Amino acid sequence: MAGQRVEVDGGILEGVNLAVSLPLQFYKYHKMWGYRPQHLSGLEMIRDLCDGQLEGAAIGSTEVTFTPEKIKGGIHTADTKTAGSVCLLMQVSMPCVLFAASPSELHLKGGTNAEMAPQIDYTVMVFKPIVEKFGFNFNCDIKMRGYYPKGGGEVIVRMSPVTQLNPINLTDRGSVTKIYGRAFVAGVLPFKVAKDMAAAAVRCIRKEIRDLYVNIQPVQEPKDQAFGNGNGIIIIAETSTGCLFAGSSLGKRGVNADKVGIDAAEMLLANLRHGGTVDEFLQDQLIIFMALANGVSRIKTGPVTLHTQTAIHFAEQLAKAKFTVKKSEDEEDSSKDTYIIECQGIGMRNPNL
């Protein structure tokens, strides 16, 4: 891959290592808007991880040239200096450090619970246990939670490199066995808001699922572990085969607590109706790992999102992985909008191990 130059949708990547160039291109941005603080921070961290060169990277940039070298691992910091999502920083860095020469410790600063991005609770409670099925482990230590508009959160991610990633097969849904979650308030917001979010969510879920206990814990975030004011809720459904689904919502000025709880509950219920084994937010996050893995991976999903379609496009273009997306032929899925995403991974090997 030496000397490879890739230009897609206004962005240019020029590099030598798929483990770096592929996740960078997966970074979500729109060429009309350009890079936001979390995008720029992620680019700079990847540059430092591999002693690379980065040209044209600035807030608002729509074109960047990146030339990576050997991924070395080590301790690195990325700070959005805003409420930009630390989870997006984690998304762009994780596929890279998996193929580093040594273990990595990433200090990610910004918003832990931000709009238009996974909440850190989703990353820990849903993304982590599922993505680790590819054959690696990581530790996510939440040092400080940070909320819109100030951010101020910090998460430390520790992980060791692997030789190769294993393929996964997530096609057996099983039955829902547990529903649980947390409704939180931080800063000056009263604890009653957390209790009201939880109670409204439980009432909404019980209209559709009556035979399971729904355990949503209201939480007052400790003042020494949260920066600023915020509230939100995440609800997880776990199945007999280990599948995980989530619904979440964040509070906003002028939106009452009941609506926040109901929005999260309705999101979870929608993800349970489609018959897939992953929710709408996890499906696109798995694509890059399927592309890099050694063998055939299969996941069953509900409607294929635009994020997933975009991720597949770039994986096929940059990594030359082969994807197929077909309607599920299982009899139980015949009346549902359910799909099988299959990928022949490229078997990326870590040249450092």
Side-chain angles (χ1 to χ4, degrees):
M1 299 301 295
Q4 184 193 33
R5 177 182 172 90
V6 180
E7 180 172 357
V8 182
D9 213 16
I12 298 174
L13 299 178
E14 183 172 352
V16 294
N17 194 322
L18 270 175
V20 173
S21 62
L22 186 56
L24 282 177
Q25 191 58 59
F26 273 48
Y27 231 169
K28 314 294 192 303
Y29 72 96
H30 194 291
K31 64 181 179 180
M32 286 177 61
W33 300 334
Y35 285 109
R36 305 309 305 146
Q38 61 265 35
H39 303 141
L40 180 59
S41 299
L43 285 169
E44 292 171 340
M45 180 173 58
I46 299 304
R47 174 199 63 197
D48 296 341
L49 272 165
C50 65
D51 284 333
Q53 295 179 9
L54 188 59
E55 299 174 15
I59 302 298
S61 292
T62 57
E63 184 171 295
V64 60
T65 302
F66 178 70
T67 308
E69 299 295 339
K70 180 179 178 180
I71 310 173
K72 61 185 181 181
I75 300 175
H76 298 276
T77 298
D79 187 352
T80 68
K81 298 181 173 62
T82 68
S85 172
V86 299
C87 298
L88 293 182
L89 297 177
M90 192 184 305
Q91 280 185 15
V92 75
S93 59
M94 186 171 289
C96 304
V97 298
L98 281 173
F99 294 91
S102 63
S104 300
E105 181 174 299
L106 309 177
H107 295 242
L108 310 177
K109 300 180 180 182
T112 57
N113 300 75
E115 289 284 359
M116 305 300 291
Q119 293 192 44
I120 191 63
D121 307 275
Y122 181 93
T123 296
V124 172
M125 299 168 74
V126 177
F127 173 78
K128 183 180 188 295
I130 300 301
V131 81
E132 287 182 340
K133 294 179 184 293
F134 286 97
F136 67 92
N137 298 99
F138 71 96
N139 176 265
C140 184
D141 184 6
I142 305 171
K143 291 295 187 183
M144 181 71 69
R145 289 175 179 266
Y147 310 101
Y148 180 84
K150 295 181 178 180
E154 181 178 7
V155 171
I156 299 178
V157 177
R158 299 180 181 89
M159 58 192 308
S160 296
V162 296
T163 302
Q164 265 187 327
L165 295 176
N166 302 323
I168 63 169
N169 188 349
L170 296 179
T171 53
D172 185 3
R173 165 73 169 267
S175 57
V176 177
T177 56
K178 296 179 184 177
I179 299 178
Y180 52 91
R182 72 191 306 268
F184 70 86
V185 291
V188 300
L189 296 176
F191 185 55
K192 182 179 184 301
V193 171
K195 293 193 289 185
D196 288 349
M197 287 188 295
V202 170
R203 288 195 301 271
C204 182
I205 292 170
R206 282 184 176 154
K207 290 178 182 177
E208 194 159 324
I209 301 176
R210 298 183 178 88
D211 56 345
L212 285 178
Y213 174 62
V214 182
N215 181 20
I216 303 175
Q217 293 293 324
V219 177
Q220 176 77 57
E221 301 287 11
K223 293 188 181 301
D224 62 346
Q225 296 175 25
F227 184 82
N229 307 311
N231 68 290
I233 182 172
I234 181 166
I235 316 166
I236 310 295
E238 186 175 326
T239 77
S240 55
T241 57
C243 297
L244 297 165
F245 303 83
S248 64
S249 184
L250 290 173
K252 298 178 183 177
R253 187 184 297 274
V255 178
N256 69 43
D258 281 15
K259 177 168 173 50
V260 178
I262 291 169
D263 285 350
E266 289 181 341
M267 183 184 295
L268 174 67
L269 292 171
N271 275 307
L272 290 176
R273 291 184 193 114
H274 60 56
T277 61
V278 298
D279 63 34
E280 62 181 305
F281 307 105
L282 188 61
Q283 59 174 256
D284 68 295
Q285 295 184 63
L286 298 180
I287 296 300
I288 187 169
F289 300 99
M290 295 169 70
L292 295 174
N294 181 34
V296 177
S297 293
R298 301 175 81 237
I299 61 174
K300 182 187 285 189
T301 74
V304 180
T305 67
L306 181 58
H307 275 177
T308 298
Q309 294 173 44
T310 304
I312 289 173
H313 169 76
F314 288 130
E316 290 186 327
Q317 184 172 56
L318 295 180
K320 307 304 179 188
K322 302 298 182 184
F323 282 84
T324 58
V325 181
K326 296 180 180 179
K327 191 82 168 61
S328 175
E329 296 178 355
D330 288 355
E331 186 175 334
E332 62 189 40
D333 299 327
S334 59
S335 62
K336 300 175 182 177
D337 205 9
T338 312
Y339 298 85
I340 299 293
I341 301 177
E342 183 174 295
C343 174
Q344 175 64 60
I346 65 171
M348 176 84 178
R349 293 191 67 87
N350 191 334
N352 305 300
L353 300 181

